[in-house]
Amino acid sequence: MSMAKASKLVAIVWASKGGLGDVGKFAAMHAAAKGSEQLRFRAVAVSEDGQDTGIDATEVKPAERLEKLQEILKDVEIVKLNINSDDAEAQLAQTFQGCDSVIACPGSRQSGIARTCGIGARKVVAAMKTAEVKRLVVLSSMGIGDDYLPGSCIKYFWGFLLKVVWPSTRRDLQEMEAVVLNSDLDF
């Protein structure tokens, strides 16, 4: 007699613009492509206006990757959320109900795109507490805190760029990390 594995429900939250959004979009794409009974997911695209999923107007290169992303996610229901709205946390909590975990890619580090890592992390963590979801995976492609490569040239160069050239990016990423570290979530 074989025992069937329990199905897991994961919420995948991504910024509709910027590099971290692409990470989240591709996580959703891979989850959708698997079509597994053991893994189900809910997709949430956050933006400043709540109108964009980032699927149609993304800068994914090469074109074949973009076409694959769009084809696989064309029938996926994606919740569009204005991260700055007063009810964003409540909407996230409702979406997270029944989930086992959340994968969050809540912001961008690119110039000219709003910094939403900090506010995104605050609202995701608060919504997870409301929905009683304990497991969080939060992604950033930027080294922050102790995440730099120890003693490498990249560590010092990157640290310089974040402190001198992109201080608002650094503050936003530090806020995201602090929110997660100070939560009681399993991350």
Side-chain angles (χ1 to χ4, degrees):
M1 175 183 350
S2 74
M3 304 221 12
K5 290 184 179 180
S7 176
K8 297 287 183 183
L9 179 57
V10 177
I12 303 173
V13 181
W14 68 79
S16 63
K17 295 181 181 171
L20 290 178
D22 289 343
V23 173
K25 290 172 217 166
F26 279 102
M29 180 190 83
H30 286 289
K34 291 276 184 199
S36 170
E37 290 181 18
Q38 283 83 35
L39 176 65
R40 299 171 295 121
F41 75 99
R42 293 183 181 151
V44 183
V46 298
S47 65
E48 289 193 289
D49 62 8
Q51 301 300 310
D52 190 16
T53 64
I55 302 300
D56 295 322
T58 187
E59 297 177 13
V60 172
K61 305 265 190 288
E64 298 82 37
R65 287 182 69 196
L66 174 58
E67 291 164 3
K68 182 178 179 183
L69 173 76
Q70 290 171 335
E71 175 62 25
I72 292 174
L73 293 180
K74 72 178 181 195
D75 295 324
V76 171
E77 180 183 341
I78 301 171
V79 175
K80 297 176 190 174
L81 179 73
N82 177 342
I83 197 64
N84 295 313
S85 73
D86 292 337
D87 67 341
E89 185 181 314
Q91 289 180 50
L92 284 169
Q94 181 179 0
T95 302
F96 295 166
Q97 286 295 323
C99 287
D100 298 289
S101 60
V102 173
I103 299 171
C105 311
S108 177
R109 80 255 184 244
Q110 295 164 314
S111 62
I113 297 177
R115 307 276 183 251
T116 56
C117 290
I119 190 171
R122 280 195 316 273
K123 292 189 178 186
V124 164
V125 166
M128 288 177 69
K129 289 179 181 181
T130 299
E132 299 180 357
V133 180
K134 299 291 184 198
R135 179 79 174 127
L136 172 65
V137 176
V138 65
L139 300 174
S140 170
S141 59
M142 307 280 271
I144 236 14
D146 294 330
D147 294 337
Y148 293 128
L149 300 172
S152 72
C153 292
I154 293 172
K155 171 184 178 176
Y156 299 110
F157 179 66
W158 193 243
F160 169 79
L161 287 176
L162 283 174
K163 288 178 185 169
V164 177
V165 179
W166 300 308
S168 65
T169 298
R170 181 174 181 247
R171 285 189 301 273
D172 193 40
L173 290 164
Q174 286 175 324
E175 181 182 354
M176 179 176 72
E177 185 166 279
V179 167
V180 174
L181 285 172
N182 292 319
S183 73
D184 60 351
L185 298 173
D186 179 13
F187 60 91

